Structures are given as structure tokens and as C-alpha cells.
Amino acid sequence: MKIGLIKEGKIPTDTRVALTPDQCMDVMRTHPNISIVVQPSPNRSYSDQEYIAAGVPMQDDLSDCDVLLGIKEVPVADLIPDKTYFFFSHTKKKQPYNQKLMHTLIEKKITMIDYEALTYDNGQRIIGFGFFAGVVGAHNALLTYGKKSGLFELKPAHECRDMADMVKQYRHIQLPPVKIVVTGDGRVAHGILHVMEMMDIDSVAQNDFLANEYPHPVYTNLKNELLYRNKETHEFHRNEFHEHPEQYECLFHPYIKADILINGIYWDTKIQRLFEKSDVNDPAFKLNVISDVTCDIDGSVPVNMGASTIADPVYGYNKKTGQQTAPFINDDSIIDIMAVDNLPNELPRDASNMFGDHIIKHILPELMTGDSTILDRATICSNGKLGSHFEYLSDYAYKA
């Protein structure tokens, strides 16, 4: 089997990689029947020279590869017919902006295996960048608070060499006694909580968080079972919540009197929002920094007015007018919103290293078996037809 690491072609260019130089060599040492080549790129977080120094061959033309690994969507002009590709295709929800990509995958008889659809039998995702989305989302929340309050400055994650370099700054930061609410219980939340630990911010139970004041910074983590309850029974049952979220109400409202919200929950339109836009004018509403790692526009955080960028990650939301304003104004009438939708790309080396470990441990063995239910579940299309789990895409995938 010959595997090729493709050059990212989507603009703006993503700097993450599916396998680092050391991981490539580790795979080839462990599996002599696998070879790996890398398409040269000036934009990767791991440079061409690092791959060459590790002993990984560079190759412009990847047409002799069996499997091609990328991160973001591949431009349609770059797709090689009859190959097996792995990348985040963003087609499984019938995203209109990628319909041309979907048509091309079908026309070129490509086997498209989507990282997002790689799941265990219980539906849990196998691979993803959620942990580092949480890490950077939490870092950006603290950076925003420091800049808005004028109390301290933090270097953005993307200006740091790696996470260790980013975390080094925390030893010089002394937070005032702020209250931070963290939502979620998946990989994103784990990343957020990692930063809370690195900052020595104490965790407190939700009841204590609401009832008490503290002389030091604290946070509470609202997992789904603490954030939602059935409207009738006032209980939480995970399967019922996932199948019928419209039967559940959100219990977030008492937490609007905290200082910072770092939002890491999954959300769809059937799930009640954390709060409504009208709530921001409640005198009890004290949140003045919201890091919306989930980043659904007008979603669980209704004052998310659109995704921001790594270069310009924060905008203000004027509670009185409902309009977007400049950020970092120390004014109670303005909430600063961090809504970057590609946060892991701020720590691309760390994120790539963890991602590659998951590929080696969980995906490579499935590729080598030749008959994998895990890969089958994630195959959007193959040989000009939709995969069996994606036939619902037919009106989107096939040209009329």
C-alpha cells in the first residue's frame, strides 16, 4: 500500500497534517509493506525539510498512490480519479457550498472516507481535532478577558511554537476572582478543562458556583445532564435527549451572572439555546466574554453573529443595539465574542501529532484488513455511487 500526504489546496490554507514526519517513519518501520510519500507544500506546520530529514520521500505527482490523506476539502481540479481519499469533506449535511465537490467525487469514481464519519459501533467519533479546539478556545477566552479588562496580555496560540510554549505564559498571569462557565462533556470540553488546570483555576460544583463568591478564579463544568432536563419528568436520559432533544429544556439561565462562558456543547436546531438574545438585557446578565468554541451562528449562543478568523478572532456585541462593534472595550454593555471556526489550526503541530496518533492506532489497522465496518460506515461514496450509509444524499450527490 502506498500512502500519499497531499498538499492542502483549500484557501485559506490549513497548516495541519494527517501524519507528522516521525509518524510517517514509524509507520514504514512497523509495516514494511506500506510506503509513504509527501507532496511538497510551503504552508505545512511541519516543513518539507523536516520530512526529508526524517527520511520521508517527497513526490509532486501522487497518481501512483493507493490512499491519499488530507485535512480540508480537496479542490475539485486536484482530485485524482479512482483513488481513496481521507479528508473532512463537509458534505454529509448536504452543505450547498460543497455540492460541486460531491458531484466530482461521484464523477471521478473516488472512494471518499470522511474523518467526521469514522465512528465506533456506539456512534462515538474515533478521530478529530476537538481537544485542541477546546484548548485554543479556552486560551482565547482568557486572552480576550485580559485584553478587555486591561489586566494582562497573552500571546495568541498561533504565535506560539506549540502548546507548551503557549502554556508557559500562564505562570506570569494572575487572574482576578472571575467565575467561568464551561459547557460540554466531549473532546472539546476536555481541551477547555486542560487549560483550566494549567491556569490553576479551581473547579467547583454547580450549586456552590451559583451560591458562593470566591476570592480566587473558579469554574464549573455543565455537562449535558446538568444543563438539560426533560420538560415533563425533570430527568435526563442520554439516549432520549439525543433522539428527542425538543422534549428537553435548558437550565443555563442562572449562570448568566458569571463572567466568562466557554461553550463546547454540540448543538442543533432542535436543542434549546443556552439563552435568548433578549436575556442579555436582563440586569442579572453579567457575561462579558463568550468563547463559542462550538461556533454555530445564531445557535446555542444566539449572539454569535458569524465566524471570526484566527487573525481577527474577537468582535463585540452591543447589548443595547444588537449590533457588532469593536472588541476589547471595557464596557458592561458590550459582550466580546470569540467565534473562530478553525481553532485547532492555531496549534497545528500539536493537533497534527495527536491526529496522526489516532490514524496509526485506529484507522491504519482498518485499512489493512481490507474489510472494515468502520471504514464502510464512513465511506461517503465509492465507484460512482453513494455509500450504503449515505444514500439519503442522493438528491444532493447525483446530477439531475
Side-chain angles (χ1 to χ4, degrees), residues 306-368:
S308 51
T309 65
I310 288 174
D312 192 14
V314 184
Y315 53 82
Y317 176 88
N318 188 308
K319 298 195 298 191
K320 295 175 181 176
T321 66
Q323 299 298 309
Q324 187 171 316
T325 70
F328 313 126
I329 300 170
N330 198 359
D331 184 328
D332 290 341
S333 67
I334 296 175
I335 307 168
D336 275 5
I337 311 293
M338 194 295 303
V340 175
D341 61 0
N342 60 336
L343 288 166
N345 207 36
E346 291 207 48
L347 289 175
R349 292 176 71 91
D350 296 275
S352 298
N353 191 58
M354 180 179 281
F355 192 76
D357 281 346
H358 289 161
I359 286 179
I360 293 168
K361 184 175 181 179
H362 301 292
I363 306 308
L364 197 58
E366 300 296 322
L367 260 177
M368 295 172 68

Side-chain angles (χ1 to χ4, degrees), residues 22-273:
D22 286 347
Q23 288 168 342
C24 290
M25 292 309 298
D26 182 51
V27 168
M28 289 191 281
R29 278 192 297 265
T30 309
H31 304 283
N33 58 331
I34 294 178
S35 61
I36 301 177
V37 296
V38 178
Q39 195 173 36
S41 168
N43 298 312
R44 287 192 188 97
S45 54
Y46 288 89
S47 67
D48 291 351
Q49 192 53 47
E50 286 179 277
Y51 283 97
I52 293 167
V56 187
M58 308 299 292
Q59 187 174 312
D60 271 305
D61 183 1
L62 301 181
S63 58
D64 63 343
C65 293
D66 305 296
V67 176
L68 298 169
L69 303 180
I71 300 296
K72 288 291 189 73
E73 301 98 311
V74 177
V76 294
D78 296 342
L79 288 166
I80 305 172
D82 303 310
K83 297 297 179 184
T84 295
Y85 278 88
F86 285 76
F87 55 85
F88 291 101
S89 74
H90 299 119
T91 56
K92 61 196 289 285
K93 295 180 182 178
K94 300 185 181 182
Q95 288 92 326
Y97 56 89
N98 276 336
Q99 188 170 25
K100 184 178 179 182
L101 169 63
M102 186 74 252
H103 287 163
T104 307
L105 293 170
I106 295 287
E107 289 166 2
K108 294 191 174 184
K109 297 185 176 180
I110 285 166
T111 297
M112 171 69 244
I113 303 176
D114 196 310
Y115 295 128
E116 190 178 359
L118 291 165
T119 60
Y120 297 107
D121 292 342
N122 64 2
Q124 182 182 349
R125 281 182 61 180
I126 296 173
I127 195 166
F129 289 100
F131 177 82
F132 284 98
V135 165
V136 179
H139 178 80
N140 283 356
L142 298 173
L143 179 155
T144 303
Y145 180 83
K147 206 165 179 179
K148 184 179 180 72
S149 64
L151 294 175
F152 58 87
E153 291 273 345
L154 280 173
K155 186 164 61 172
H158 68 90
E159 293 182 9
C160 303
R161 173 173 171 79
D162 52 24
M163 186 163 71
D165 187 34
M166 182 193 83
V167 168
K168 258 192 278 186
Q169 304 175 81
Y170 298 165
R171 67 185 69 161
H172 307 296
I173 300 299
Q174 186 65 49
L175 278 173
V178 292
K179 285 185 166 184
I180 303 171
V181 184
V182 176
T183 60
D185 56 3
R187 285 194 178 107
V188 170
H190 293 160
I192 297 168
L193 299 186
H194 181 73
V195 171
M196 297 296 100
E197 182 181 350
M198 293 297 98
M199 278 291 290
D200 291 326
I201 301 172
D202 288 343
S203 171
V204 297
Q206 69 275 12
N207 291 336
D208 293 335
F209 184 89
L210 291 173
N212 301 324
E213 296 300 323
Y214 297 87
H216 51 81
V218 297
Y219 78 90
T220 196
N221 180 203
L222 300 181
K223 299 179 180 181
N224 281 348
E225 59 265 30
L226 301 173
L227 195 52
Y228 302 100
R229 69 179 181 186
N230 185 287
K231 295 173 184 176
E232 300 295 329
T233 66
H234 290 185
E235 295 177 350
F236 180 88
H237 299 285
R238 185 171 295 276
N239 289 341
E240 180 187 60
F241 175 69
H242 288 304
E243 291 171 11
H244 299 287
E246 69 281 358
Q247 296 177 6
Y248 279 70
E249 61 184 345
C250 183
L251 306 176
F252 182 80
H253 190 267
Y255 300 90
I256 63 174
K257 61 182 182 181
D259 301 292
I260 299 171
L261 165 63
I262 310 176
N263 182 40
I265 60 168
Y266 170 79
W267 186 82
D268 71 27
T269 53
K270 294 180 181 179
I271 300 175
Q272 200 173 94
R273 291 177 171 86

Side-chain angles (χ1 to χ4, degrees), residues 268-287:
D268 71 27
T269 53
K270 294 180 181 179
I271 300 175
Q272 200 173 94
R273 291 177 171 86
L274 296 179
F275 57 89
E276 295 300 328
K277 284 181 182 176
S278 57
D279 292 330
V280 303
N281 290 308
D282 184 329
F285 195 101
K286 302 298 182 186
L287 292 168

